[in-house]
Amino acid sequence: MTTSRRSRGRPPASTREALEEVAFDLLLRDGYEATTLQAIMAAGGVGRSTLFRYFGSKAGIVWGEFDRAVERLRAALRDADDVPVMTAVRSAVVRSTRLSQAAAPDSWLDRFRVLDRDPALVAEAAAHWRVWGETVSGYAAGRTGLDAGDPVPAAIGGAVQAAYVAVLRRWAGAAEARGDDAGAETVDIDELDRDLRPVTDAFQAVLDGVTRG
């Protein structure tokens, strides 16, 4: 069971990030279906108008930052330097992750734990992760002149997404083992670059063969 960080004497939540932290404490402890908006408001010390101004709904709490993370990835790919395709992909994933962690340092890894494990969210999480992977596939296709649905770009998106989730799961497990709720002491973004490199290097070799052919 996760111990709520609010129990450590923090004042009532007054920002989106603080209220997200409260919400994900409850979601981890009680599950998505059992966590009510009333419980989140009570734990955060905020009223209904504040919660709805920030999120609009319980689903907005869960998915809003994920969608912003996809937008960060899309922007990082759009702004990538003129480097090999998979180098750009790896750099964009690392950069967008760093920005996501900075945007919600006290809840971003908790969010992943909820999305990855809560039975009520598994199907929708898969759909959101598919969009993440298709963002990578679309970039690879655009750089190579292939169709995003062709086997190679599609495989790139799926493989990079799977490798990324594997790293997040390792971080989440290490955070739990340490009792580090936010994962701040567990996450090493530079480690992400090293872990993705074998995958991206392998696909760069594939792309080199395709483009030469």
Side-chain angles (χ1 to χ4, degrees):
M1 179 180 294
T2 300
T3 300
S4 172
R5 290 185 286 272
R6 271 200 49 77
S7 64
R8 300 174 188 172
R10 195 186 63 203
S14 58
T15 66
R16 174 193 291 270
E17 292 77 17
L19 191 54
E20 278 188 333
E21 181 184 343
V22 169
F24 278 97
D25 278 342
L26 295 177
L27 290 164
L28 276 173
R29 189 188 71 192
D30 300 332
Y32 181 77
E33 291 186 335
T35 301
T36 65
L37 292 176
Q38 288 74 18
I40 294 170
M41 289 184 285
V46 301
R48 186 177 183 87
S49 61
T50 297
L51 187 143
F52 277 83
R53 181 173 70 251
Y54 286 147
F55 304 110
S57 65
K58 186 167 70 171
I61 297 173
V62 172
W63 300 115
E65 181 57 28
F66 190 106
D67 293 340
R68 288 189 288 274
V70 173
E71 287 304 315
R72 292 184 191 106
L73 174 62
R74 189 171 289 120
L77 288 167
R78 185 173 58 246
D79 298 338
D81 295 330
D82 186 17
V83 294
V85 174
M86 298 310 300
T87 299
V89 167
R90 187 175 68 251
S91 297
V93 173
V94 171
R95 179 183 176 188
S96 62
T97 301
R98 199 182 302 278
L99 291 172
S100 292
Q101 183 192 28
D106 291 326
S107 63
W108 79 283
L109 194 54
D110 283 349
R111 177 181 295 102
F112 170 76
R113 291 161 66 189
V114 169
L115 301 185
D116 196 47
R117 302 176 188 180
D118 195 309
L121 297 172
V122 169
E124 196 167 355
H128 278 74
W129 276 116
R130 185 167 61 250
V131 173
W132 193 99
E134 288 172 352
T135 300
V136 174
S137 298
Y139 174 79
R143 284 284 307 271
T144 58
L146 298 171
D147 186 273
D150 283 351
V152 171
I156 288 171
V160 173
Q161 183 249 309
Y164 184 52
V165 169
V167 174
L168 293 177
R169 284 176 176 155
R170 187 177 70 227
W171 285 344
E176 290 175 352
R178 293 171 60 102
D180 176 16
D181 290 336
E185 297 180 14
T186 305
V187 172
D188 179 356
I189 303 297
D190 292 333
E191 183 180 282
L192 175 61
D193 183 83
R194 294 192 296 272
D195 286 338
L196 292 179
R197 185 177 293 273
V199 176
T200 56
D201 284 356
F203 273 102
Q204 186 60 53
V206 172
L207 287 177
D208 290 343
V210 169
T211 53
R212 280 197 301 268

